[in-house]
């Protein structure tokens, strides 16, 4: 077996990895769903655990040689339960979409009605977008945001009573305010629906106690592990109650959710778990259990609020007029700039954000009016209020001078210099 270093065996890929690390190190990653993992998480991710097949669950595998990966998965499950107050955690979903697919597969039949927030109002494609599996295999009814940008809970209740969905999804990917999990559960209970809370964006804020926890309120909770939670790419499904042993076929009731979920992941929709990923999730969960993580989560929100206030003082219009979380959604309509133009100018200046629709956007999704940005990754680097004020200046200058290459170059130079004081872990 060869032990040749990557840079000698495959310099093409090694160079690209170096280039990407350099791009991240010298620029501001401000896509709100991104973060920078620790060196320990990366080490677990790049380990021999990736070699092992282990279909099934700890103590119930279809393959031999699973004693050690069983211990890895048990640690990840126990830490997830402890951190979020769940009884049961399935840590095998390969990422967020499969986690949601598994919940639908567990609880629904094709053609059943589901309800989620419109993607173009800040939801997620797996919450019932017509061109996604969730809007194709199921009858999707979608709620939206009010004119002020807040989720329209009254409309949701009305739609729920009218359409009697089997499942209501809360959560989203471009909503700057806290999710009111209990209200969704109340409506789900009124119409006899299951409630899935997708807390992917805010899981790290929940872990750090700066956002309400849906576990124990919602019937079932999904989350990715790589956003505010700062782990590797991956996902988890959390619930109350315990699965049956062995995992037998059970009726679709709330009490049976843990069993239904485990059976939906395997044999339902996935094969072997990614054991290297499970180990890295366990490492990230241990990090999130430390007192410093609470400081981190608090700082993420302080930074987002500071950035929001600074940008609003420069005339930027934030959807809902601010943020409670890690995320800012900016409507550039009043600046005569499109989201795509702003994304490009900011990228040129070393600030990575993404163009995004705003609720009731008069423009098309591929050329929307807004940009979405967030503070999880720059807070991981150690940036605080002073840097947020400087970043707001850079953002404003880059957008105001989006056609001026020299200005964008200068800002990029200054951004790189600022980043030099906040290096990534490795
Ligand atoms: N792609 C994620 C995000 O950016 O929010 C959601 O899956």
């Amino acid at each position: 077996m060869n032990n040749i270093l990557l840079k000698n065996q495959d310099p093409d890929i090694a160079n690209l990895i170096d280039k990407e690390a350099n791009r991240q190190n010298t620029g501001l990653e401000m896509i709100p769903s991104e973060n920078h993992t620790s060196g320990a998480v990366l080490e677990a991710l790049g380990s021999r655990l990736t070699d092992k097949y282990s279909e099934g669950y700890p103590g119930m595998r279809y393959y031999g040689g699973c004693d050690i990966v069983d211990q890895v998965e048990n640690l990840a499950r126990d830490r997830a339960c402890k951190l979020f107050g769940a009884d049961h955690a399935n840590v095998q979903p390969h990422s967020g979409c499969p986690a949601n697919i598994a919940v639908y597969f567990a609880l629904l039949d094709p053609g059943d009605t589901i309800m989620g927030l419109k993607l173009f109002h800040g939801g997620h494609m797996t919450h019932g977008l017509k061109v996604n599996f969730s809007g194709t295999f199921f009858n999707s009814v979608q709620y939206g945001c009010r004119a002020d940008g807040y989720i329209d809970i009254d409309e949701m209740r009305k739609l729920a009573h009218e359409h009697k969905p089997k499942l209501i999804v809360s959560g989203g990917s471009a909503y700057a305010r806290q999710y009111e999990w209990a209200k969704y559960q109340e409506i789900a209970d009124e119409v006899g629906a299951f409630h899935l809370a997708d807390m992917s964006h805010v899981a790290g804020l929940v872990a750090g106690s700066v956002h309400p926890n849906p576990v124990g309120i919602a019937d079932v909770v999904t989350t990715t592990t790589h956003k505010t939670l700062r782990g590797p790419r991956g996902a988890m499904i959390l619930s109350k109650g315990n699965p049956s042993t062995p995992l037998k076929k059970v009726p679709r009731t709330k009490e049976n959710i843990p069993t239904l979920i485990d059976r939906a992941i395997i044999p339902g929709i996935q094969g072997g778990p990614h054991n290297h990923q499970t180990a890295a999730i366990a490492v990230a969960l241990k990090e999130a259990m430390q007192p410093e993580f609470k400081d981190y989560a608090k700082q993420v929100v302080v930074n987002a609020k500071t950035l929001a206030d600074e940008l609003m003082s420069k005339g930027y219009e934030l959807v809902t007029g601010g943020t409670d979380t890690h995320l800012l959604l900016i409507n550039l309509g009043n600046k005569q700039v499109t989201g795509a133009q702003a994304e490009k100018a900011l990228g040129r200046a070393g600030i990575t954000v993404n163009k995004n629709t705003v609720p009731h956007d008069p423009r098309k999704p591929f050329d929307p009016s807004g940009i979405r940005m967030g503070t999880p990754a720059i807070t991981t680097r150690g940036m605080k209020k002073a840097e947020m004020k400087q970043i707001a200046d850079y953002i404003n200058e880059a957008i105001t001078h989006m056609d001026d290459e020299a200005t964008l170059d200068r800002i990029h130079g200054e951004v790189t210099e600022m980043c030099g004081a906040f290096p990534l872990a490795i």
Side-chain angles (χ1 to χ4, degrees):
M1 187 163 175
N2 80 42
N3 275 323
I4 301 171
L5 291 174
L6 181 64
K7 67 176 183 203
N8 297 329
Q9 179 178 319
D10 192 338
D12 298 330
I13 288 294
N15 283 338
L16 289 172
I17 292 173
D18 282 350
K19 275 190 180 162
E20 173 60 12
N22 185 55
R23 187 193 69 80
Q24 292 184 20
N25 232 327
T26 57
L28 297 166
E29 294 302 305
M30 295 189 65
I31 291 175
S33 47
E34 294 183 0
N35 211 330
H36 299 297
T37 47
S38 68
V41 167
L42 288 180
E43 199 179 326
L45 207 51
S47 67
R48 279 280 160 218
L49 293 168
T50 196
D51 297 350
K52 186 74 196 96
Y53 250 125
S54 55
E55 265 118 322
Y57 292 100
M60 302 183 274
R61 304 283 191 186
Y62 291 95
Y63 288 84
C66 291
D67 300 4
I68 294 164
V69 294
D70 275 8
Q71 294 175 54
V72 169
E73 189 167 335
N74 277 332
L75 265 179
R77 297 203 293 195
D78 291 349
R79 288 175 185 173
C81 287
K82 193 162 173 212
L83 183 61
F84 292 107
D87 295 326
H88 182 61
N90 188 309
V91 296
Q92 293 192 9
H94 297 159
S95 204
C97 294
N100 287 345
I101 292 172
V103 173
Y104 297 168
F105 192 60
L107 303 180
L108 304 170
D109 285 318
D112 280 349
T113 299
I114 61 166
M115 255 184 70
L117 177 62
K118 291 174 194 163
L119 175 68
F120 305 126
H121 284 221
H124 187 258
M125 58 189 182
T126 59
H127 297 181
L129 180 70
K130 286 290 173 204
V131 293
N132 183 260
F133 85 94
S134 57
T136 309
F137 295 154
F138 304 104
N139 173 39
S140 166
V141 176
Q142 301 250 275
Y143 55 92
C145 292
R146 302 186 308 227
D148 63 4
Y150 281 82
I151 290 171
D152 193 340
I153 298 277
D154 294 337
E155 181 202 28
M156 194 185 68
R157 173 174 271 119
K158 206 165 132 259
L159 287 171
H161 281 269
E162 194 181 327
H163 296 276
K164 301 276 185 299
K166 275 256 188 79
L167 178 99
I168 295 178
V169 189
S170 57
S173 63
Y175 188 61
R177 297 298 181 174
Q178 294 191 345
Y179 295 102
E180 299 178 272
W181 312 117
K183 285 199 181 158
Y184 294 87
Q185 188 64 44
E186 194 182 295
I187 296 170
D189 289 341
E190 283 170 16
V191 299
F194 292 109
H195 171 204
L196 159 63
D198 180 345
M199 66 163 175
S200 294
H201 258 266
V202 295
L205 307 185
V206 171
S209 308
V210 291
H211 188 291
N213 187 356
V215 176
I217 295 176
D219 296 314
V220 58
V221 177
T222 53
T223 181
T224 49
T225 47
H226 48 274
K227 297 188 174 84
T228 46
L229 194 54
R230 215 167 63 183
R233 272 170 198 286
M236 309 190 291
I237 306 174
L238 307 169
S239 55
K240 287 287 183 184
N242 290 300
S244 64
T245 334
L247 284 173
K248 48 183 198 293
K249 195 167 188 321
V250 288
R252 280 191 182 128
T253 62
K254 295 197 176 189
E255 296 67 40
N256 286 333
I257 282 177
T259 308
L260 294 164
I261 293 296
D262 280 358
R263 285 175 60 95
I265 286 288
I266 165 95
I269 65 155
Q270 286 192 175
H274 294 176
N275 293 303
H276 57 303
Q277 188 179 30
T278 307
I281 288 172
V283 173
L285 290 169
K286 186 170 178 185
E287 289 176 4
M289 290 162 116
Q290 307 311 310
E292 304 85 85
F293 196 84
K294 281 205 176 351
D295 300 336
Y296 164 69
K298 208 182 287 172
Q299 192 66 47
V300 166
V301 177
V302 167
N303 283 352
K305 283 179 185 286
T306 306
L307 193 58
D309 289 345
E310 290 293 316
L311 289 170
M312 287 191 292
S313 76
K314 296 177 197 305
Y316 287 86
E317 192 187 304
L318 265 68
V319 175
T320 73
T323 181
D324 298 327
T325 62
H326 61 302
L327 184 149
L328 285 70
L329 184 59
I330 304 172
N331 184 349
L332 294 165
N334 67 337
K335 294 277 182 187
Q336 278 77 53
V337 177
T338 68
Q341 288 169 328
E343 177 190 294
K344 189 163 171 234
L346 290 169
R348 184 82 173 66
I351 303 170
T352 307
V353 304
N354 69 281
K355 61 178 180 292
N356 215 97
T357 50
V358 295
H360 312 285
D361 203 322
R363 301 181 65 83
K364 297 270 179 259
F366 283 110
D367 187 15
S369 300
I371 45 172
R372 186 186 70 148
M373 62 177 70
T375 52
I378 56 178
T379 306
T380 292
R381 298 180 77 147
M383 295 183 185
K384 295 206 164 73
K385 271 182 161 183
E387 287 75 34
M388 297 309 119
K389 291 183 180 172
Q390 183 63 65
I391 291 169
D393 285 343
Y394 289 147
I395 289 171
N396 183 39
E397 205 183 352
I399 290 178
T400 313
H401 299 93
M402 64 182 186
D403 297 319
D404 178 352
E405 296 284 322
T407 300
L408 298 177
D409 271 350
R410 178 184 53 72
I411 299 172
H412 199 161
E414 289 180 27
V415 162
T416 299
E417 200 181 322
M418 175 195 255
C419 289
F422 300 93
L424 298 184
I426 57 170

